């Protein structure tokens, strides 16, 4: 084992953005056991009076998720919202073609809204622009957001919900560039439709925040022309363009897997540039922002699903069991998101419970935290602040696809109210500790509050029902401040959160 070093520099006056609370959003889809067997399971020992699992709810609440995208995903592209409202006993059972399951509509709009409120979250509502269009979208928005006195809003009141739900954020479809999507479209077809739906929704309420679909991933053959074409149709009517990305490990190459965040960052940069291109072309004064409304690691379950439970409610699908390596990649993605906080204003970890999720829930047994729960938790709790421009000089390694990749990536967040700086960092080195010298220019009276670490002698270790705490954060007590410099040892293959308090900040 050797010891390498990295120099990191931040300055209290160099702020690259502020983190929107909605950066720590998540996603719950009618998919697999996310709803039936995750959020909702009336026969479970922990179920409350509404059938919601309180063990799951408690773990969600601790994550402090401000907004949850719903109800899909691929599911939304054939979603008939009218099936999901009104008396539960009268709702139809439907075939869900996206996931080859049965949707009983037992959990519908009102039930999910009430669950989200219990979790302390708002709902980011997605519209079906796969099989439906302007007419259904405007009716749905009236049902959800209008106080009353009109047909659809009165129907909501007749269904027992007097006050409007008042959903602020609406996604204009899902992954409409994807050939797997029901009702997928060309960029021209989708851009025109999304622009018209957006126009109608803004006529109803100009303060609604609308998200138009960008590419389903940087590997899509239509990327990035898709973004340019779609935005040309609807630039003035929308507020965000979405970006989806999932990291996967191909074969055994851990170093390539850990570099997936470089691919993610290049994707964001290309979308940022495309937005600027269309803005310039339109002579617009407005900046469309980015919503990374699906992101995660997803590969363990791919190709391993069984057909035994086809066309059943709550099929077991996409139940990735995450490792320490996966937690590091999630950490790297969080660092990228924070670095781009000026343009990425919303993001949703996909998903929340059971399906590619930080929380797994056993049918008869408990719910527990997966490895990826922790980096998300750390950032959700301590990264809501100002992003300090973080300059890193680190040794690294060569990759075939991305060239040089530094071992150390990181970002510092300043929370003036708490008089705290949190430095989030990943060491990608597989065997060596990296000594980090972080110069925090402009801050004085520094003192380490805690250095929280996730690392393990077995990078493939994961948490299971039998060993739910096999991987959990530890502490490094050796981290010290010396004048303006923070000195820390970043263990091989580790995720780190170092919180530092200060007495004075030069800017104040
Ligand atoms: O999150 C799982 C699926 O991934 C979503 O349904 C879809 O939008 C994406 O392809």
């Amino acid at each position: 084992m050797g010891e390498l070093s990295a120099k990191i520099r931040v300055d209290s006056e160099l702020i690259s953005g502020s983190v929107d609370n909605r950066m720590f959003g998540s996603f719950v889809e009618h998919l697999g056991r996310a709803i039936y067997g995750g959020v909702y399971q009336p026969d479970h020992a922990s179920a409350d009076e509404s059938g919601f699992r309180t063990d799951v709810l408690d773990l969600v609440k601790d994550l402090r998720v401000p907004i949850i995208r719903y109800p899909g995903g691929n599911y939304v592209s054939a979603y008939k919202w009218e099936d999901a409202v009104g008396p539960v006993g009268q709702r139809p059972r439907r075939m869900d073609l996206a996931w080859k399951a049965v949707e009983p509509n037992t959990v519908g709009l009102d039930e999910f809204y009430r669950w989200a409120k219990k979790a302390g979250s708002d709902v980011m509502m997605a519209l079906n622009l796969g099989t439906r269009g302007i007419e259904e979208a405007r009716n749905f928005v009236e049902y959800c957001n209008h106080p009353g006195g009109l047909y659809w809003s009165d129907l909501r009141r007749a269904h027992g919900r007097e006050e409007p739900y008042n959903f602020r954020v609406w996604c204009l479809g899902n992954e409409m560039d994807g050939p797997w999507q029901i009702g997928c479209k060309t960029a021209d077809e989708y851009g025109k439709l999304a622009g018209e739906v957006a126009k109608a929704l803004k006529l109803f309420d100009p303060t609604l925040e609308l998200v138009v679909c960008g590419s389903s991933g940087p590997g899509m053959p239509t990327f990035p022309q898709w973004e340019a074409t779609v935005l040309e149709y609807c630039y003035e009517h929308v507020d965000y363009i979405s970006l989806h990305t999932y990291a996967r490990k191909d074969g055994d190459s851990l170093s390539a897997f850990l570099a997936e965040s470089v691919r993610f960052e290049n994707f964001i940069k290309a979308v940022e540039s495309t937005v600027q291109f269309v803005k310039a072309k339109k002579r617009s004064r407005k900046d469309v922002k980015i919503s990374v409304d699906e992101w995660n690691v997803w590969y363990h379950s791919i190709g391993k699903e069984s057909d035994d439970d086809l066309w059943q409610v709550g099929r077991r699908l996409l139940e990735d069991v995450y490792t320490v390596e996966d937690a590091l990649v999630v950490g790297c993605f969080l660092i990228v998101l924070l670095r781009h906080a000026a343009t990425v204003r919303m993001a949703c970890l996909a998903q929340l419970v059971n399906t590619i999720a930080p929380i797994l829930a056993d049918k008869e047994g408990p719910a527990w935290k997966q490895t990826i729960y922790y980096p998300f938790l750390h950032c959700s709790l301590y990264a809501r602040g100002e992003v300090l421009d973080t300059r890193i000089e680190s040794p690294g390694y060569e990759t075939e696809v991305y060239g040089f990749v530094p071992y150390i990536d990181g970002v510092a967040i300043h929370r003036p109210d708490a008089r705290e700086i949190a430095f989030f960092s990943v060491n990608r080195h597989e065997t060596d500790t990296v000594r980090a010298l972080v110069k925090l220019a402009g801050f004085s009276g520094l003192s380490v509050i805690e250095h929280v670490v996730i690392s393990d002698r077995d990078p493939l270790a994961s948490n299971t029902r039998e060993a739910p705490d096999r991987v959990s954060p530890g502490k490094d007590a050796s981290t010290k401040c010396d004048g303006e410099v923070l000195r820390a040892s970043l263990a091989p293959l580790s995720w780190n959160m170092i919180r530092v308090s200060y007495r004075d900040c030069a800017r104040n």
Side-chain angles (χ1 to χ4, degrees):
M1 300 256 284
E3 196 171 273
L4 302 164
S5 58
K7 274 170 74 178
I8 296 126
R9 193 187 155 88
V10 301
D11 187 312
S12 63
E13 302 203 67
L14 300 181
I15 300 159
S16 62
S18 71
V19 181
D20 192 299
N21 282 333
R22 294 184 296 189
M23 186 71 100
F24 306 103
S26 190
F27 176 33
V28 173
E29 177 167 5
H30 283 251
L31 190 192
R33 297 192 309 120
I35 296 282
Y36 305 107
V39 162
Y40 176 82
Q41 193 185 334
D43 63 357
H44 190 268
S46 79
D48 67 9
E49 67 293 346
S50 305
F52 299 138
R53 283 185 66 152
T54 56
D55 56 350
V56 169
L57 205 42
D58 287 344
L59 293 175
V60 173
K61 277 191 217 161
D62 288 346
L63 281 178
R64 290 186 48 209
V65 178
I67 194 160
I68 302 178
R69 186 164 173 257
Y70 177 82
N74 296 342
Y75 174 74
V76 85
S77 292
Y79 179 59
K80 207 170 162 209
W81 68 264
E82 299 88 335
D83 292 347
V85 298
V88 177
Q90 291 171 24
R91 295 183 196 161
R93 286 168 74 81
R94 297 274 188 202
M95 198 172 251
D96 164 23
L97 294 170
W99 299 108
K100 298 193 171 144
V102 163
E103 175 53 58
N105 284 303
T106 317
V107 172
L109 180 72
D110 190 65
E111 292 75 21
F112 187 77
Y113 170 84
R114 286 191 286 106
W115 180 82
K117 285 294 133 199
K118 286 189 180 196
S121 308
D122 290 332
V123 177
M124 178 190 293
M125 204 67 214
L127 290 166
N128 170 2
L129 294 193
T131 62
R132 312 191 93 186
I134 306 171
E135 178 68 7
E136 297 88 349
R138 75 168 186 134
N139 296 344
F140 190 23
V141 173
E142 183 200 311
Y143 181 95
C144 294
N145 284 12
H146 195 65
L150 300 172
Y151 179 81
W152 293 106
S153 48
D154 281 347
L155 184 63
R156 183 198 68 240
R157 294 167 70 202
H159 288 160
R161 169 83 198 175
E162 186 60 33
E163 293 301 312
Y165 297 102
N166 204 12
F167 300 128
R168 304 317 305 155
V169 184
W170 292 79
C171 301
L172 305 169
N174 176 69
E175 297 189 347
M176 300 308 302
D177 60 333
W180 57 86
Q181 205 69 218
I182 296 173
C184 76
K185 298 183 170 40
T186 64
D188 285 292
E189 289 164 349
Y190 172 67
K192 176 95 176 100
L193 175 62
E196 291 306 312
V197 171
K199 192 170 82 187
L201 265 47
K202 292 272 180 164
L203 286 171
F204 171 78
D205 178 354
T207 70
L208 293 178
E209 297 176 68
L210 305 181
V211 187
V212 72
C213 293
S215 296
S216 317
M220 296 301 291
T222 46
F223 169 74
Q225 186 58 50
W226 173 276
E227 278 74 2
T229 305
V230 165
L231 283 174
E232 291 221 14
Y233 281 103
C234 56
Y235 197 87
E236 294 303 333
H237 298 306
V238 301
D239 306 281
Y240 302 86
I241 182 152
S242 75
L243 177 163
H244 291 182
T245 192
Y246 292 98
R248 54 194 60 178
K249 188 178 176 194
D250 284 326
D252 288 336
S253 178
L254 176 55
S255 53
F257 182 42
L258 292 171
E260 281 277 282
S261 59
V262 178
R263 177 167 171 265
F264 179 36
E265 188 152 20
N266 290 343
F267 187 15
I268 293 176
K269 285 178 183 166
V271 176
E272 287 171 343
S273 305
T274 310
V275 168
Q276 288 308 312
F277 168 78
V278 180
K279 177 183 176 185
K281 216 173 154 191
K282 296 222 164 245
R283 312 308 190 244
S284 176
R285 294 167 66 94
K286 148 182 175 184
D287 283 301
V288 167
K289 302 291 186 187
I290 296 173
S291 170
V292 181
D293 47 39
E294 285 188 34
W295 71 271
N296 201 349
V297 169
W298 173 14
Y299 67 96
H300 296 279
S301 61
I302 292 176
K304 297 196 185 126
E305 264 119 28
S306 140
D307 279 352
D308 295 352
D309 55 359
L310 280 179
W311 309 115
Q312 290 184 26
V313 178
R315 297 181 60 200
R316 193 173 280 275
L317 292 172
L318 280 60
E319 298 203 8
D320 280 40
V321 174
Y322 291 113
T323 65
V324 173
E325 292 175 358
D326 301 329
L328 301 194
V329 173
V330 163
C332 288
F333 274 41
L334 283 160
I335 290 167
V336 169
L337 286 170
L338 293 169
R339 195 154 46 226
H340 290 266
T343 51
V344 177
R345 304 302 287 161
M346 299 196 291
C348 302
L349 177 68
Q351 299 192 7
L352 191 53
V353 186
N354 284 336
T355 49
I356 44 173
I359 297 165
L360 278 179
D362 194 70
K363 192 163 185 286
E364 279 91 33
W368 63 94
K369 301 168 189 166
Q370 295 231 58
T371 59
I372 63 167
Y373 186 95
Y374 293 107
F376 186 86
L377 174 73
H378 298 151
C379 290
S380 180
L381 293 183
Y382 297 110
R384 300 183 195 214
E386 296 170 348
V387 185
L388 297 176
D389 189 4
T390 307
R391 299 295 167 103
I392 301 181
E393 273 176 52
S394 163
Y397 57 102
E398 284 300 321
T399 60
E400 216 174 287
V401 184
Y402 307 110
F404 178 82
V405 175
Y407 290 126
I408 301 301
D409 200 1
V411 66
I413 306 294
H414 179 201
R415 295 192 303 136
D417 292 352
R419 301 184 90 73
E420 246 187 74
I421 304 142
F423 178 59
F424 300 94
S425 180
V426 166
N427 179 4
R428 294 183 173 106
H429 203 295
E430 295 183 36
T431 54
D432 289 9
T433 294
V434 176
R435 207 153 39 89
L437 262 76
V438 189
K439 182 160 185 201
L440 299 165
F443 296 100
S444 55
L446 295 168
S447 167
V448 174
I449 304 169
E450 61 175 352
H451 177 173
V452 180
V453 188
I454 296 189
S455 69
D456 201 285
R457 59 191 143 66
D458 177 8
L460 296 177
S462 53
N463 292 338
T464 56
R465 176 187 166 154
E466 292 69 35
D469 298 317
R470 166 67 185 80
V471 180
S472 52
K475 296 262 174 112
D476 184 336
S478 68
T479 305
K480 297 272 176 297
C481 288
D482 172 7
E484 280 187 325
V485 178
L486 164 71
R487 293 174 196 275
S489 289
L490 307 179
L493 295 181
S494 62
W495 160 257
N496 303 267
M497 173 182 72
I498 307 173
R499 292 172 56 217
V500 174
S501 67
Y502 64 84
R503 193 183 52 243
D504 294 308
C505 169
R507 188 154 48 94
N508 294 333

